Amino acid sequence: MENRLGKGEVATARNWVDRAIAAIEADQRRSADTHLWKLDVPALSGIDLYLKDESTHPTGSLKHRLARSLFLYALCNGNIREGTAVVEASSGSTAVSEAYFARMIGIPFFAVMPRSTSPEKIAAIEHYGGLCHFIDDGKRIYAESAELAARLSGHFMDQFTHAERATDWRGNNNIAESIFQQLASERHLIPSWVVMSAGTGGTTATIGRYIRYKRHATRLSVADVERSAFFEGFSTRKLGCRCDRPSRIEGIGRPRVEPSFVPGVIDTMLRVPDAVSLAAMRVLSRRLGRRVGGSTGTNFAAMCFHAARMARAGEAGSLVTLICDSGDRYSNSYYDGAWLEANELDPAPFEPAIEAFLQGAGLDLDLAECHG
């Protein structure tokens, strides 16, 4: 009788996991793929710039893909079962997206974050039923997340460790496969460069691995920000590098080289000053007629850097980067003069150079660069 009861309990648990996975996959099927915009820049003859718009996901950012992959990975590994509390170390887009999926399958979600987190971010997480767990010492965010998960007998999702392994980099509708499929009818169907910034490192790992798996000639360039350990870790090959100050460009840059960061798939890294990121953000927002966020500005500045080098060399080809999220989330930061002044950031001096490049001039941006 005990054995039959045990089997029944196992079957019931598996049934719940089956329903949870089915719900997440059904949500994905209801969502169209994100658009790949071709930026109209007539001055760049022979060079095409593309922007994959990840802001159109249901939760409004690139992190929607990551959260979906993390939930499927945890469900299939047996880490999430009916009633399991999920905990994440995040105060931004990842927490918003994970709260969305937790609510979808009916389990509690806790986001561990600094007490100084903005009300807008807290409201976005709570909108999807997430609970915010505040800490005073931001350096303890990983430890506190693990401790909270243990107290709740829950699961610490740990995006910074599991991002690179949760996504099937060989295909299965990942972002890399999507980019190359969408370029299939373009004049430069294999891009010269895919350019993007790193937060967890998971998306760069997925794209870099896919490029190698498919044997494409595409090169991957990863742009890092000022207050981040990634660029130093890549350039020195010392993955224990640290940065004491938090990144001012939300969603990218980290105080440590995260476990999901895979330097071996990266061809080159750039360090983009924060003021340049915000200048590029402004220029691109005007070009698109809508606001984008700071991380998208980092991406766009790096893409312009590589496009300018191609133009000087007389090369033709295409470059792809990401619109990570909408600028509407940053009305009280990047688009607020008082916030810029308080953070000693002035993007205005760099805007004319980027605008002039898009009009056909050379690009005078001195970015630190390191090759893999």
Side-chain angles (χ1 to χ4, degrees), residues 71-82:
F71 267 86
L72 290 173
Y73 183 74
L75 285 162
C76 291
N77 278 316
N79 295 322
I80 296 178
R81 302 183 181 187
E82 186 173 10

Side-chain angles (χ1 to χ4, degrees), residues 178-233:
S178 176
I179 288 170
F180 281 87
Q181 286 179 348
Q182 289 176 316
L183 285 171
S185 297
E186 302 298 305
R187 64 171 175 170
H188 304 298
L189 67 163
I190 302 298
S192 300
W193 289 95
V194 174
V195 183
M196 63 169 302
S197 46
T200 62
T203 304
T204 61
T206 296
I207 293 174
R209 287 166 170 167
Y210 183 86
I211 288 169
R212 284 157 176 74
Y213 180 63
K214 293 296 184 178
R215 303 184 300 281
H216 292 312
T218 305
R219 289 164 289 175
L220 174 63
S221 177
V222 176
D224 200 21
V225 291
E226 287 181 25
R227 300 178 180 180
S228 175
F230 286 135
F231 183 85
E232 184 181 355

